[in-house]
Amino acid sequence: LSAPTPQRADLRGAGVYIATGTPVLSNNTISGNRAVPAAGTMQAATFGYGGGLWAGFSSTLTLTNNVITGNHAGDSTIAYSVGSGGGLVVFPGSGASGPLLDRNLVVDNTADSLGGGLSLLSLASTAAEAVVTNNVVVGNTSGNGGGVYTYFVKTRIVNNTISDNEAFLGGGLYS
Protein backbone atom coordinates (compact mmCIF):
# COMPACT_ATOMS: atom_id res chain seq x y z
CA LEU A 1 0.00 0.00 0.00
CA SER A 2 1.37 3.33 -1.01
CA ALA A 3 1.27 6.04 1.62
CA PRO A 4 -0.79 9.14 0.83
CA THR A 5 1.16 11.65 -1.21
CA PRO A 6 1.41 15.13 0.33
CA GLN A 7 0.21 16.85 -2.85
CA ARG A 8 -2.71 14.58 -3.78
CA ALA A 9 -3.46 12.63 -0.58
CA ASP A 10 -4.13 9.40 -2.46
CA LEU A 11 -3.89 5.70 -1.78
CA ARG A 12 -2.92 3.35 -4.61
CA GLY A 13 -3.09 -0.40 -5.01
CA ALA A 14 -4.10 -1.74 -1.64
CA GLY A 15 -3.51 -5.34 -2.78
CA VAL A 16 -0.92 -4.99 -5.56
CA TYR A 17 0.98 -1.84 -6.56
CA ILE A 18 2.82 -1.82 -9.91
CA ALA A 19 4.73 1.36 -10.71
CA THR A 20 6.93 0.30 -13.62
CA GLY A 21 8.04 -2.67 -15.70
CA THR A 22 6.30 -5.41 -17.64
CA PRO A 23 4.94 -7.75 -14.97
CA VAL A 24 2.92 -10.86 -15.77
CA LEU A 25 0.43 -11.83 -13.07
CA SER A 26 -1.29 -15.19 -13.59
CA ASN A 27 -3.35 -17.58 -11.48
CA ASN A 28 -3.62 -15.38 -8.37
CA THR A 29 -6.46 -14.39 -6.06
CA ILE A 30 -6.52 -10.71 -5.07
CA SER A 31 -9.23 -10.22 -2.46
CA GLY A 32 -10.39 -8.21 0.53
CA ASN A 33 -8.20 -5.13 0.01
CA ARG A 34 -9.19 -1.49 0.67
CA ALA A 35 -7.79 1.71 -0.84
CA VAL A 36 -9.81 4.09 1.31
CA PRO A 37 -8.26 7.51 1.98
CA ALA A 38 -9.01 9.86 4.84
CA ALA A 39 -11.58 12.60 4.32
CA GLY A 40 -10.65 15.43 1.99
CA THR A 41 -11.95 18.97 1.76
CA MET A 42 -13.92 20.86 -0.86
CA GLN A 43 -10.63 22.37 -2.07
CA ALA A 44 -8.57 19.19 -1.85
CA ALA A 45 -10.28 15.85 -2.40
CA THR A 46 -8.55 12.59 -1.48
CA PHE A 47 -8.29 9.57 -3.77
CA GLY A 48 -8.38 5.78 -3.43
CA TYR A 49 -7.19 4.07 -6.63
CA GLY A 50 -7.24 0.31 -7.18
CA GLY A 51 -8.61 -1.53 -4.19
CA GLY A 52 -7.18 -4.80 -5.52
CA LEU A 53 -4.53 -3.63 -7.98
CA TRP A 54 -3.00 -0.39 -9.31
CA ALA A 55 -0.84 -0.37 -12.48
CA GLY A 56 0.76 2.97 -13.38
CA PHE A 57 1.64 4.78 -16.62
CA SER A 58 5.19 3.33 -16.64
CA SER A 59 4.07 -0.28 -16.57
CA THR A 60 2.79 -2.68 -19.23
CA LEU A 61 0.77 -5.21 -17.28
CA THR A 62 -0.27 -8.67 -18.44
CA LEU A 63 -3.00 -9.95 -16.14
CA THR A 64 -4.31 -13.44 -16.96
CA ASN A 65 -6.45 -16.03 -15.23
CA ASN A 66 -6.79 -14.24 -11.86
CA VAL A 67 -9.66 -13.87 -9.41
CA ILE A 68 -10.15 -10.29 -8.21
CA THR A 69 -12.91 -10.15 -5.61
CA GLY A 70 -14.20 -8.24 -2.59
CA ASN A 71 -11.92 -5.20 -2.95
CA HIS A 72 -12.87 -1.55 -2.26
CA ALA A 73 -11.70 1.82 -3.58
CA GLY A 74 -12.99 4.82 -1.68
CA ASP A 75 -15.91 4.94 0.72
CA SER A 76 -19.11 6.88 0.06
CA THR A 77 -19.40 7.77 3.76
CA ILE A 78 -16.10 9.69 3.73
CA ALA A 79 -16.45 13.33 2.70
CA TYR A 80 -14.63 14.60 -0.39
CA SER A 81 -12.94 11.33 -1.24
CA VAL A 82 -13.02 9.64 -4.64
CA GLY A 83 -12.63 5.91 -5.25
CA SER A 84 -11.73 4.49 -8.66
CA GLY A 85 -11.19 0.86 -9.65
CA GLY A 86 -12.62 -1.22 -6.82
CA GLY A 87 -11.09 -4.37 -8.31
CA LEU A 88 -8.31 -2.75 -10.31
CA VAL A 89 -7.27 0.49 -11.95
CA VAL A 90 -4.87 0.54 -14.92
CA PHE A 91 -3.26 3.59 -16.52
CA PRO A 92 -2.07 2.68 -20.04
CA GLY A 93 1.07 4.62 -20.86
CA SER A 94 2.57 6.13 -23.96
CA GLY A 95 4.53 3.06 -25.07
CA ALA A 96 3.93 1.00 -28.20
CA SER A 97 2.01 -1.71 -26.33
CA GLY A 98 -0.52 -1.44 -23.54
CA PRO A 99 -1.91 -3.68 -20.83
CA LEU A 100 -3.54 -7.03 -21.56
CA LEU A 101 -6.32 -8.23 -19.26
CA ASP A 102 -7.40 -11.73 -20.29
CA ARG A 103 -9.46 -14.54 -18.71
CA ASN A 104 -9.88 -12.91 -15.28
CA LEU A 105 -12.84 -13.13 -12.93
CA VAL A 106 -13.60 -9.65 -11.51
CA VAL A 107 -16.47 -10.06 -9.04
CA ASP A 108 -18.08 -8.25 -6.09
CA ASN A 109 -15.77 -5.22 -5.96
CA THR A 110 -16.85 -1.68 -5.03
CA ALA A 111 -15.68 1.83 -5.92
CA ASP A 112 -17.56 4.79 -4.55
CA SER A 113 -17.12 6.83 -7.74
CA LEU A 114 -15.63 5.22 -10.89
CA GLY A 115 -15.33 1.60 -12.04
CA GLY A 116 -16.49 -0.90 -9.45
CA GLY A 117 -14.75 -3.80 -11.17
CA LEU A 118 -12.22 -2.16 -13.48
CA SER A 119 -11.12 1.39 -14.29
CA LEU A 120 -8.97 2.22 -17.30
CA LEU A 121 -7.79 5.81 -16.97
CA SER A 122 -5.35 7.82 -19.05
CA LEU A 123 -4.55 11.10 -20.76
CA ALA A 124 -5.87 12.22 -24.14
CA SER A 125 -2.36 11.90 -25.60
CA THR A 126 -1.85 8.27 -24.54
CA ALA A 127 -0.93 6.01 -27.45
CA ALA A 128 -1.02 2.55 -25.83
CA GLU A 129 -4.13 0.44 -26.33
CA ALA A 130 -5.61 -1.52 -23.42
CA VAL A 131 -6.88 -4.96 -24.48
CA VAL A 132 -9.60 -6.49 -22.32
CA THR A 133 -10.63 -9.95 -23.54
CA ASN A 134 -12.39 -13.08 -22.29
CA ASN A 135 -13.03 -11.77 -18.75
CA VAL A 136 -16.05 -12.22 -16.52
CA VAL A 137 -16.99 -8.95 -14.79
CA VAL A 138 -19.98 -9.51 -12.53
CA GLY A 139 -21.59 -8.16 -9.35
CA ASN A 140 -19.49 -4.99 -9.05
CA THR A 141 -20.82 -1.61 -7.83
CA SER A 142 -19.85 2.02 -8.44
CA GLY A 143 -21.27 5.50 -9.03
CA ASN A 144 -20.29 5.36 -12.74
CA GLY A 145 -19.29 2.20 -14.57
CA GLY A 146 -20.34 -0.55 -12.20
CA GLY A 147 -18.45 -3.18 -14.20
CA VAL A 148 -16.01 -1.18 -16.34
CA TYR A 149 -15.15 2.54 -16.50
CA THR A 150 -12.93 4.02 -19.21
CA TYR A 151 -11.64 7.59 -19.56
CA PHE A 152 -9.37 8.89 -22.36
CA VAL A 153 -8.22 5.35 -23.12
CA LYS A 154 -7.80 3.60 -26.45
CA THR A 155 -9.45 0.31 -25.53
CA ARG A 156 -10.37 -2.94 -27.22
CA ILE A 157 -12.99 -4.74 -25.10
CA VAL A 158 -13.82 -8.06 -26.80
CA ASN A 159 -15.59 -11.30 -25.82
CA ASN A 160 -16.18 -10.46 -22.14
CA THR A 161 -19.16 -11.28 -19.96
CA ILE A 162 -20.16 -8.06 -18.19
CA SER A 163 -23.36 -8.61 -16.21
CA ASP A 164 -25.23 -7.89 -12.99
CA ASN A 165 -23.15 -4.82 -12.14
CA GLU A 166 -24.69 -1.69 -10.59
CA ALA A 167 -24.07 2.03 -11.08
CA PHE A 168 -25.92 5.32 -11.32
CA LEU A 169 -24.62 5.64 -14.90
CA GLY A 170 -23.39 2.66 -16.94
CA GLY A 171 -24.12 -0.39 -14.83
CA GLY A 172 -22.04 -2.58 -17.14
CA LEU A 173 -19.79 -0.09 -18.92
CA TYR A 174 -19.26 3.67 -18.78
CA SER A 175 -17.00 5.32 -21.33
Side-chain angles (χ1 to χ4, degrees), residues 49-50 53-57 59 61 63 84-93 98-102 114-124 126 128-133 135 137 144-145 147-158 160 162 172-175:
Y49 290 112
L53 180 143
W54 183 92
F57 285 109
S59 68
L61 171 66
L63 188 71
S84 183
L88 60 150
V89 64
V90 178
F91 295 84
L100 170 65
L101 311 175
D102 185 49
L114 309 170
L118 165 65
S119 279
L120 298 166
L121 308 173
S122 202
L123 305 171
T126 298
E129 179 181 58
V131 177
V132 181
T133 58
N135 299 284
V137 181
N144 293 326
V148 179
Y149 178 88
T150 68
Y151 184 78
F152 276 135
V153 178
K154 185 196 293 185
T155 309
R156 188 166 15 127
I157 300 175
V158 179
N160 298 280
I162 301 172
L173 170 70
Y174 181 99
S175 183

Side-chain angles (χ1 to χ4, degrees), residues 13 16 19 24-25 50 52 54 58 70 75 78 85-86 88 100-101 105 107 109 111 130 145 152-153 157 163 167:
V16 177
V24 175
L25 278 70
W54 183 92
S58 297
D75 184 332
I78 298 176
L88 60 150
L100 170 65
L101 311 175
L105 174 61
V107 61
N109 299 285
F152 276 135
V153 178
I157 300 175
S163 67

